[in-house]
Amino acid sequence: MIKISTAVLIVVIVVVYALGSGRWVSTGGDWYSSLERPPWQPPDAAFGLAWTYNFVVIIVAGIVVAMNGSDAQRGVWLLSLTVSVAAALLWAWLFYERHALWPSSFALLLATLITVPLVISAWGVRVWAGAILLPYQCWLAIATSLAFGYAQRNPA
């Protein structure tokens, strides 16, 4: 029962992540359009593809950990996922709603760092489950560098 409950909780957290991101992330407004972008920002189309992949693999790897991992691995996974998602949503809110570029950058840095135990935990359960999360970890690192790039190029 705990395995299924954990798997369901993981799916719920990822759905909250996707909905929260959709709620706060808006690139169509005048404020965002006025920002000087870092030159290494990927094309807009890459974001939709990357996030679709990311949300799917987080669910897949999470279910693998929930169903096959030890209690400790499930605990690390849930804690890491929850804190990472909270930090990523805090980034979105700070960046797009509050226009607080530096604080949002540090929130995203936290999300990136706290995702490392998530990848390690999945890797320990099934190597392939950890491996499919590596692009997500890289994407968060790129997003963090972009966040700091925006903060540096757009002083308040």
Side-chain angles (χ1 to χ4, degrees):
M1 184 63 170
I2 191 135
K3 293 178 179 184
I4 293 172
S5 299
T6 302
V8 169
L9 183 56
I10 288 165
V11 172
V12 168
I13 291 169
V14 174
V15 168
V16 167
Y17 192 7
L19 292 175
S21 296
R23 162 76 171 92
W24 284 315
V25 174
S26 173
T27 59
D30 291 337
W31 173 78
Y32 181 78
S33 298
S34 73
L35 295 175
E36 183 182 339
R37 288 169 174 67
W40 62 94
Q41 181 165 329
D44 290 343
F47 289 86
L49 294 171
W51 279 110
T52 300
Y53 173 85
N54 291 337
F55 291 139
V56 169
V57 298
I58 294 168
I59 289 172
V60 170
I63 290 172
V64 169
V65 172
M67 302 308 287
N68 301 295
S70 67
D71 289 343
Q73 288 165 320
R74 278 192 294 277
V76 166
W77 177 272
L78 277 175
L79 180 61
S80 181
L81 179 64
T82 302
V83 173
S84 178
V85 167
L89 291 176
L90 178 61
W91 163 80
W93 180 75
L94 286 169
F95 187 92
Y96 290 100
E97 296 292 321
R98 306 292 300 175
H99 305 167
L101 301 182
W102 284 107
S104 69
S105 299
F106 285 102
L108 199 52
L109 177 61
L110 174 62
T112 301
L113 294 175
I114 201 68
T115 301
V116 172
L118 185 126
V119 175
I120 292 170
S121 176
W123 198 283
V125 175
R126 298 284 188 273
V127 171
W128 66 265
I132 65 172
L133 289 170
L134 291 176
Y136 173 56
Q137 184 69 57
C138 291
W139 186 257
L140 284 177
I142 291 166
T144 300
S145 76
L146 288 169
F148 280 102
Y150 272 101
Q152 180 185 19
R153 284 166 176 72
N154 299 280

